[in-house]
Amino acid sequence: SLGSSVTDLLLENFILTAEYTKLYPFVYDHFNPAQSYTNVSYTLGHWIGNNGDQVYISAGYRILRGLALHLSGQYIRKGERGTPEIQQFSPIQPPFLFGDRTSYTIIGAEAKYEITHEMFVRSRYRYMQTTSDIEGMDANSQEFRLAFYYGL
């Protein structure tokens, strides 16, 4: 992983973040289950799992006290997970992003306002596009969330 975050670069209260993460095949898996990086079959490493990479960019701006905006985008590529047999018996490790590939493009926006001390209203929008080498796996989705909460 490689990343950077800069605050107050162009404007006061403006934050710009960029990150790149690359995970090779079998980075969290092992043909010997005792050597896998899991707990109760849940991978403990990065959430995108092995054999994938992610580019993440975000920008946040606090317009005035209590009102903040945040935009983000990420592009994720995933290859096949692979099997323990490939890892154990293959003389060389498979190349990065081997097998059928799936790509995700995710764009998000958030606005948060503090109405009064510790009372917030927040709205979020997210668009996700999925493209895959596997037939019938291409999809688009959108979601909008609105929350009122106190504390936290």
Side-chain angles (χ1 to χ4, degrees):
S1 289
L2 177 67
S4 182
S5 182
V6 180
T7 303
D8 296 337
L9 176 65
L10 303 172
L11 300 167
E12 190 175 336
N13 298 319
F14 180 76
I15 300 172
L16 186 63
T17 302
E19 299 175 0
Y20 176 73
T21 302
K22 181 176 183 178
L23 299 160
Y24 287 98
F26 304 111
V27 73
Y28 298 121
D29 291 331
H30 196 272
F31 62 86
N32 178 354
Q35 298 294 322
S36 290
Y37 198 62
T38 61
N39 182 32
V40 193
S41 298
Y42 183 80
T43 300
L44 297 176
H46 196 280
W47 67 269
I48 66 172
N50 58 19
N51 198 24
D53 66 351
Q54 173 194 36
V55 175
Y56 173 81
I57 298 172
S58 73
Y61 184 54
R62 185 171 303 279
I63 297 173
L64 49 97
R65 194 219 65 79
L67 178 60
L69 302 178
H70 184 256
L71 300 173
S72 65
Q74 52 188 315
Y75 181 70
I76 302 165
R77 298 182 302 172
K78 290 278 299 162
E80 285 185 19
R81 181 173 179 163
T83 63
E85 291 78 22
I86 292 173
Q87 183 187 28
Q88 184 176 11
F89 299 115
S90 178
I92 58 171
Q93 180 169 315
F96 178 65
L97 292 176
F98 77 93
D100 291 330
R101 220 177 270 176
T102 303
S103 300
Y104 306 90
T105 303
I106 303 168
I107 298 169
E110 175 181 298
K112 183 168 83 170
Y113 181 66
E114 186 173 10
I115 300 167
T116 184
H117 182 67
E118 297 294 322
M119 183 180 287
F120 296 89
V121 60
R122 178 177 60 203
S123 64
R124 288 183 176 169
Y125 172 78
R126 186 175 93 153
Y127 170 79
M128 184 167 79
Q129 178 184 27
T130 306
T131 56
S132 179
D133 292 344
I134 303 168
E135 188 175 330
M137 289 292 293
D138 294 353
N140 295 324
S141 66
Q142 297 182 61
E143 67 180 40
F144 178 76
R145 295 180 181 198
L146 181 64
F148 293 92
Y149 60 96
Y150 182 78
L152 303 177

